[in-house]
PDB file of all heavy atoms in Angstrom:
ATOM      1  N   ILE C  38    -166.475  72.653  -2.762  1.00 96.00           N
ATOM      2  CA  ILE C  38    -165.685  71.862  -1.817  1.00 96.00           C
ATOM      3  C   ILE C  38    -165.452  70.486  -2.433  1.00 96.00           C
ATOM      4  O   ILE C  38    -166.403  69.796  -2.822  1.00 96.00           O
ATOM      5  CB  ILE C  38    -166.385  71.745  -0.443  1.00 96.00           C
ATOM      6  CG1 ILE C  38    -166.698  73.154   0.098  1.00 96.00           C
ATOM      7  CG2 ILE C  38    -165.523  70.966   0.548  1.00 96.00           C
ATOM      8  CD1 ILE C  38    -167.303  73.192   1.487  1.00 96.00           C
ATOM      9  N   LYS C  39    -164.194  70.142  -2.564  1.00 95.00           N
ATOM     10  CA  LYS C  39    -163.840  68.818  -3.103  1.00 95.00           C
ATOM     11  C   LYS C  39    -163.388  67.956  -1.933  1.00 95.00           C
ATOM     12  O   LYS C  39    -162.413  68.294  -1.257  1.00 95.00           O
ATOM     13  CB  LYS C  39    -162.714  68.944  -4.142  1.00 95.00           C
ATOM     14  CG  LYS C  39    -163.140  69.695  -5.410  1.00 95.00           C
ATOM     15  CD  LYS C  39    -161.985  70.012  -6.325  1.00 95.00           C
ATOM     16  CE  LYS C  39    -161.711  68.917  -7.330  1.00 95.00           C
ATOM     17  NZ  LYS C  39    -162.703  68.892  -8.424  1.00 95.00           N
ATOM     18  N   ILE C  40    -164.107  66.869  -1.701  1.00 95.00           N
ATOM     19  CA  ILE C  40    -163.822  66.012  -0.549  1.00 95.00           C
ATOM     20  C   ILE C  40    -163.189  64.710  -1.039  1.00 95.00           C
ATOM     21  O   ILE C  40    -163.698  64.092  -1.986  1.00 95.00           O
ATOM     22  CB  ILE C  40    -165.119  65.699   0.231  1.00 95.00           C
ATOM     23  CG1 ILE C  40    -165.791  67.017   0.659  1.00 95.00           C
ATOM     24  CG2 ILE C  40    -164.840  64.818   1.438  1.00 95.00           C
ATOM     25  CD1 ILE C  40    -167.131  66.840   1.327  1.00 95.00           C
ATOM     26  N   TYR C  41    -162.100  64.335  -0.399  1.00 94.00           N
ATOM     27  CA  TYR C  41    -161.364  63.136  -0.835  1.00 94.00           C
ATOM     28  C   TYR C  41    -161.474  62.045   0.235  1.00 94.00           C
ATOM     29  O   TYR C  41    -160.702  62.048   1.187  1.00 94.00           O
ATOM     30  CB  TYR C  41    -159.892  63.483  -1.079  1.00 94.00           C
ATOM     31  CG  TYR C  41    -159.700  64.462  -2.209  1.00 94.00           C
ATOM     32  CD1 TYR C  41    -159.725  65.839  -1.976  1.00 94.00           C
ATOM     33  CD2 TYR C  41    -159.521  64.024  -3.521  1.00 94.00           C
ATOM     34  CE1 TYR C  41    -159.562  66.745  -3.018  1.00 94.00           C
ATOM     35  CE2 TYR C  41    -159.355  64.925  -4.557  1.00 94.00           C
ATOM     36  CZ  TYR C  41    -159.378  66.286  -4.309  1.00 94.00           C
ATOM     37  OH  TYR C  41    -159.231  67.183  -5.344  1.00 94.00           O
ATOM     38  N   PRO C  42    -162.428  61.118   0.085  1.00 93.00           N
ATOM     39  CA  PRO C  42    -162.547  60.056   1.086  1.00 93.00           C
ATOM     40  C   PRO C  42    -161.374  59.081   0.983  1.00 93.00           C
ATOM     41  O   PRO C  42    -160.856  58.858  -0.109  1.00 93.00           O
ATOM     42  CB  PRO C  42    -163.862  59.362   0.710  1.00 93.00           C
ATOM     43  CG  PRO C  42    -164.060  59.664  -0.725  1.00 93.00           C
ATOM     44  CD  PRO C  42    -163.403  60.984  -1.004  1.00 93.00           C
ATOM     45  N   THR C  43    -160.976  58.526   2.127  1.00 91.00           N
ATOM     46  CA  THR C  43    -159.838  57.590   2.091  1.00 91.00           C
ATOM     47  C   THR C  43    -160.229  56.179   2.529  1.00 91.00           C
ATOM     48  O   THR C  43    -159.384  55.296   2.582  1.00 91.00           O
ATOM     49  CB  THR C  43    -158.692  58.088   3.003  1.00 91.00           C
ATOM     50  OG1 THR C  43    -159.251  58.368   4.278  1.00 91.00           O
ATOM     51  CG2 THR C  43    -158.025  59.329   2.445  1.00 91.00           C
ATOM     52  N   GLY C  44    -161.481  55.961   2.846  1.00 87.00           N
ATOM     53  CA  GLY C  44    -161.893  54.613   3.254  1.00 87.00           C
ATOM     54  C   GLY C  44    -163.391  54.433   3.040  1.00 87.00           C
ATOM     55  O   GLY C  44    -164.115  55.397   2.811  1.00 87.00           O
ATOM     56  N   ILE C  45    -163.812  53.166   3.106  1.00 87.00           N
ATOM     57  CA  ILE C  45    -165.231  52.825   2.875  1.00 87.00           C
ATOM     58  C   ILE C  45    -166.140  53.616   3.809  1.00 87.00           C
ATOM     59  O   ILE C  45    -167.178  54.139   3.398  1.00 87.00           O
ATOM     60  CB  ILE C  45    -165.456  51.305   3.130  1.00 87.00           C
ATOM     61  CG1 ILE C  45    -164.695  50.475   2.089  1.00 87.00           C
ATOM     62  CG2 ILE C  45    -166.925  50.935   3.187  1.00 87.00           C
ATOM     63  CD1 ILE C  45    -165.411  50.344   0.765  1.00 87.00           C
ATOM     64  N   GLN C  46    -165.713  53.717   5.055  1.00 89.00           N
ATOM     65  CA  GLN C  46    -166.550  54.407   6.051  1.00 89.00           C
ATOM     66  C   GLN C  46    -166.787  55.863   5.662  1.00 89.00           C
ATOM     67  O   GLN C  46    -167.880  56.392   5.809  1.00 89.00           O
ATOM     68  CB  GLN C  46    -165.856  54.371   7.401  1.00 89.00           C
ATOM     69  CG  GLN C  46    -166.553  53.436   8.354  1.00 89.00           C
ATOM     70  CD  GLN C  46    -165.869  53.440   9.710  1.00 89.00           C
ATOM     71  OE1 GLN C  46    -164.729  53.892   9.849  1.00 89.00           O
ATOM     72  NE2 GLN C  46    -166.545  52.925  10.694  1.00 89.00           N
ATOM     73  N   GLN C  47    -165.733  56.487   5.150  1.00 90.00           N
ATOM     74  CA  GLN C  47    -165.864  57.890   4.747  1.00 90.00           C
ATOM     75  C   GLN C  47    -166.766  58.025   3.521  1.00 90.00           C
ATOM     76  O   GLN C  47    -167.555  58.966   3.428  1.00 90.00           O
ATOM     77  CB  GLN C  47    -164.479  58.485   4.459  1.00 90.00           C
ATOM     78  CG  GLN C  47    -163.660  58.692   5.721  1.00 90.00           C
ATOM     79  CD  GLN C  47    -162.411  59.526   5.468  1.00 90.00           C
ATOM     80  OE1 GLN C  47    -161.899  59.549   4.360  1.00 90.00           O
ATOM     81  NE2 GLN C  47    -161.933  60.199   6.513  1.00 90.00           N
ATOM     82  N   ILE C  48    -166.663  57.070   2.595  1.00 89.00           N
ATOM     83  CA  ILE C  48    -167.546  57.097   1.417  1.00 89.00           C
ATOM     84  C   ILE C  48    -169.000  56.977   1.871  1.00 89.00           C
ATOM     85  O   ILE C  48    -169.882  57.691   1.401  1.00 89.00           O
ATOM     86  CB  ILE C  48    -167.165  55.982   0.414  1.00 89.00           C
ATOM     87  CG1 ILE C  48    -165.869  56.384  -0.307  1.00 89.00           C
ATOM     88  CG2 ILE C  48    -168.273  55.735  -0.591  1.00 89.00           C
ATOM     89  CD1 ILE C  48    -165.359  55.403  -1.336  1.00 89.00           C
ATOM     90  N   GLU C  49    -169.241  56.068   2.810  1.00 87.00           N
ATOM     91  CA  GLU C  49    -170.593  55.893   3.360  1.00 87.00           C
ATOM     92  C   GLU C  49    -171.066  57.181   4.036  1.00 87.00           C
ATOM     93  O   GLU C  49    -172.208  57.610   3.872  1.00 87.00           O
ATOM     94  CB  GLU C  49    -170.609  54.738   4.381  1.00 87.00           C
ATOM     95  CG  GLU C  49    -170.635  53.353   3.757  1.00 87.00           C
ATOM     96  CD  GLU C  49    -171.851  53.149   2.853  1.00 87.00           C
ATOM     97  OE1 GLU C  49    -172.978  53.339   3.337  1.00 87.00           O
ATOM     98  OE2 GLU C  49    -171.654  52.817   1.663  1.00 87.00           O
ATOM     99  N   ALA C  50    -170.150  57.794   4.794  1.00 90.00           N
ATOM    100  CA  ALA C  50    -170.518  59.006   5.543  1.00 90.00           C
ATOM    101  C   ALA C  50    -170.958  60.133   4.607  1.00 90.00           C
ATOM    102  O   ALA C  50    -171.842  60.926   4.951  1.00 90.00           O
ATOM    103  CB  ALA C  50    -169.336  59.468   6.394  1.00 90.00           C
ATOM    104  N   LEU C  51    -170.385  60.156   3.406  1.00 90.00           N
ATOM    105  CA  LEU C  51    -170.712  61.237   2.462  1.00 90.00           C
ATOM    106  C   LEU C  51    -172.187  61.210   2.038  1.00 90.00           C
ATOM    107  O   LEU C  51    -172.729  62.221   1.590  1.00 90.00           O
ATOM    108  CB  LEU C  51    -169.813  61.152   1.225  1.00 90.00           C
ATOM    109  CG  LEU C  51    -168.375  61.631   1.433  1.00 90.00           C
ATOM    110  CD1 LEU C  51    -167.531  61.350   0.211  1.00 90.00           C
ATOM    111  CD2 LEU C  51    -168.356  63.126   1.737  1.00 90.00           C
ATOM    112  N   LYS C  52    -172.815  60.030   2.176  1.00 87.00           N
ATOM    113  CA  LYS C  52    -174.229  59.923   1.787  1.00 87.00           C
ATOM    114  C   LYS C  52    -175.101  60.895   2.587  1.00 87.00           C
ATOM    115  O   LYS C  52    -176.154  61.325   2.128  1.00 87.00           O
ATOM    116  CB  LYS C  52    -174.728  58.489   1.980  1.00 87.00           C
ATOM    117  CG  LYS C  52    -174.164  57.550   0.944  1.00 87.00           C
ATOM    118  CD  LYS C  52    -174.844  56.207   0.939  1.00 87.00           C
ATOM    119  CE  LYS C  52    -174.226  55.329  -0.138  1.00 87.00           C
ATOM    120  NZ  LYS C  52    -174.257  53.913   0.230  1.00 87.00           N
ATOM    121  N   TYR C  53    -174.633  61.220   3.778  1.00 89.00           N
ATOM    122  CA  TYR C  53    -175.356  62.154   4.644  1.00 89.00           C
ATOM    123  C   TYR C  53    -175.577  63.495   3.942  1.00 89.00           C
ATOM    124  O   TYR C  53    -176.644  64.105   4.037  1.00 89.00           O
ATOM    125  CB  TYR C  53    -174.541  62.336   5.925  1.00 89.00           C
ATOM    126  CG  TYR C  53    -175.077  63.345   6.896  1.00 89.00           C
ATOM    127  CD1 TYR C  53    -176.225  63.068   7.652  1.00 89.00           C
ATOM    128  CD2 TYR C  53    -174.444  64.570   7.072  1.00 89.00           C
ATOM    129  CE1 TYR C  53    -176.715  63.999   8.554  1.00 89.00           C
ATOM    130  CE2 TYR C  53    -174.930  65.500   7.971  1.00 89.00           C
ATOM    131  CZ  TYR C  53    -176.057  65.215   8.700  1.00 89.00           C
ATOM    132  OH  TYR C  53    -176.537  66.130   9.582  1.00 89.00           O
ATOM    133  N   LEU C  54    -174.560  63.925   3.211  1.00 88.00           N
ATOM    134  CA  LEU C  54    -174.668  65.226   2.524  1.00 88.00           C
ATOM    135  C   LEU C  54    -175.667  65.188   1.376  1.00 88.00           C
ATOM    136  O   LEU C  54    -176.161  66.219   0.938  1.00 88.00           O
ATOM    137  CB  LEU C  54    -173.297  65.653   1.981  1.00 88.00           C
ATOM    138  CG  LEU C  54    -172.246  66.058   3.001  1.00 88.00           C
ATOM    139  CD1 LEU C  54    -170.934  66.383   2.295  1.00 88.00           C
ATOM    140  CD2 LEU C  54    -172.705  67.273   3.812  1.00 88.00           C
ATOM    141  N   GLU C  55    -175.950  63.965   0.878  1.00 83.00           N
ATOM    142  CA  GLU C  55    -176.873  63.838  -0.258  1.00 83.00           C
ATOM    143  C   GLU C  55    -178.322  64.073   0.140  1.00 83.00           C
ATOM    144  O   GLU C  55    -179.181  64.283  -0.697  1.00 83.00           O
ATOM    145  CB  GLU C  55    -176.758  62.441  -0.884  1.00 83.00           C
ATOM    146  CG  GLU C  55    -175.468  62.229  -1.626  1.00 83.00           C
ATOM    147  CD  GLU C  55    -175.287  60.781  -2.064  1.00 83.00           C
ATOM    148  OE1 GLU C  55    -176.284  60.062  -2.255  1.00 83.00           O
ATOM    149  OE2 GLU C  55    -174.111  60.362  -2.196  1.00 83.00           O
ATOM    150  N   GLU C  56    -178.617  64.000   1.449  1.00 82.00           N
ATOM    151  CA  GLU C  56    -180.011  64.164   1.875  1.00 82.00           C
ATOM    152  C   GLU C  56    -180.489  65.570   1.516  1.00 82.00           C
ATOM    153  O   GLU C  56    -179.784  66.549   1.768  1.00 82.00           O
ATOM    154  CB  GLU C  56    -180.123  63.890   3.383  1.00 82.00           C
ATOM    155  CG  GLU C  56    -179.870  62.424   3.700  1.00 82.00           C
ATOM    156  CD  GLU C  56    -179.592  62.153   5.178  1.00 82.00           C
ATOM    157  OE1 GLU C  56    -179.855  63.041   5.999  1.00 82.00           O
ATOM    158  OE2 GLU C  56    -179.106  61.049   5.481  1.00 82.00           O
TER     159      GLU C  56
END
Side-chain angles (χ1 to χ4, degrees):
I38 305 184
K39 293 171 89 75
I40 303 175
Y41 296 89
T43 51
I45 294 279
Q46 251 182 344
Q47 289 191 334
I48 286 180
E49 282 301 305
L51 285 173
K52 288 192 180 149
Y53 176 73
L54 290 177
E55 289 172 26
E56 292 164 14

